[in-house]
Amino acid sequence: MACANSMDITSPNLPSHSLMSNSIRLPFHETRRCMSKYLSKSATKRLPLTTKRAKKGYYKGKGGTSEGRLTSKGKFIADPMKKLQLIVPDMKGFTLKPYIARTVSKSPPEKRTTLLPA
């Protein structure tokens, strides 16, 4: 039984015994591997490692940066050199507002051709 994400393209008007020989394989970067009990052990090893496939204690995380370290006692020691530093420009004299209403036109005022009352 094939996986639901299988990327083989076969012709529907061919007999069933010739489907395997006449299938067209898509390029490797366009195919998608799926978890199946019919994959070989070597093919299963090449799949991305997830928390369901790893052993006990595997934590994938979201790729956040560490701003310190954990001691052997479980205490976190923050490292000031690893802390995130935000550089904010001086906003004095800045006339724009943070949000723009939907009613504002998208063209600049110099290019607008509105009729003004005379």
Side-chain angles (χ1 to χ4, degrees):
M1 178 161 184
C3 177
N5 294 334
S6 179
M7 298 299 282
D8 286 343
I9 301 172
T10 56
S11 178
N13 56 1
L14 294 175
S16 62
H17 66 303
S18 64
L19 282 178
M20 294 304 277
S21 62
N22 291 329
S23 64
I24 301 168
R25 300 291 298 172
L26 291 176
F28 178 74
H29 65 280
E30 292 181 15
T31 60
R32 188 164 178 225
R33 303 297 304 259
C34 58
M35 198 63 180
S36 171
K37 65 180 184 179
Y38 301 109
L39 286 177
S40 66
K41 187 174 182 181
S42 61
T44 308
K45 288 180 186 178
R46 290 189 296 266
L47 291 173
L49 188 63
T50 63
T51 53
K52 290 192 175 220
R53 292 185 47 234
K55 296 204 178 240
K56 181 180 173 182
Y58 176 74
Y59 177 72
K60 188 170 183 178
K62 298 289 183 184
T65 59
S66 69
E67 294 186 354
R69 61 183 176 88
L70 284 172
T71 62
S72 61
K73 309 252 182 187
K75 186 178 176 186
F76 182 78
I77 298 175
D79 186 3
M81 296 298 290
K82 290 183 173 182
K83 263 195 132 152
L84 179 67
Q85 296 178 357
L86 298 175
I87 300 170
V88 182
D90 185 23
M91 301 300 280
K92 291 180 183 171
F94 195 71
T95 58
L96 290 178
K97 304 280 188 220
Y99 298 104
I100 300 173
R102 289 181 182 260
T103 58
V104 175
S105 70
K106 294 184 179 183
S107 61
E110 302 87 36
K111 294 187 178 179
R112 285 188 216 143
T113 57
T114 57
L115 298 174
L116 297 173

